């Protein structure tokens, strides 16, 4: 999940535990990533590049991490929201 700069929930910490529990109970692993903000960096080199890198990390590194905890992720079913 990508926090949208305060447009919906004010911060990533505003994601309620009940929302996270609902996702987990329905087989969805929520992962929150931070990204660089404008105007400190331009849109392409900041948030868009960070989003691309986070998605690539989730596809390549996350499966190994989750396997060490006894479960797996389907890297063909990754959804980016925010």
């Amino acid at each position: 999940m990508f926090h949208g700069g305060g447009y919906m929930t004010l911060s990533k910490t505003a994601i309620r535990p009940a929302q996270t529990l609902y996702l987990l109970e329905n087989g969805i692993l929520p992962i929150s990533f931070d990204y660089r903000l404008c105007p400190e960096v331009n849109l392409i080199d900041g948030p868009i590049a960070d989003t691309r890198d986070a998605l690539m990390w989730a596809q390549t590194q996350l499966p190994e991490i989750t396997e060490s905890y006894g479960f797996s992720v389907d890297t063909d079913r990754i959804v980016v929201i925010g």
Side-chain angles (χ1 to χ4, degrees), residues 59 73-78:
Q59 292 172 325
V73 294
D74 183 349
T75 57
D76 291 328
R77 298 181 64 190
I78 295 175

Side-chain angles (χ1 to χ4, degrees), residues 35-38 41-52:
Y35 56 87
R36 293 170 289 170
L37 302 174
C38 299
V41 65
N42 70 58
L43 181 64
I44 301 299
D45 295 329
I48 291 178
D50 293 346
T51 301
R52 179 204 59 217

Side-chain angles (χ1 to χ4, degrees), residues 19 25 57-58:
Q19 294 167 315
E25 288 175 341
W57 176 88

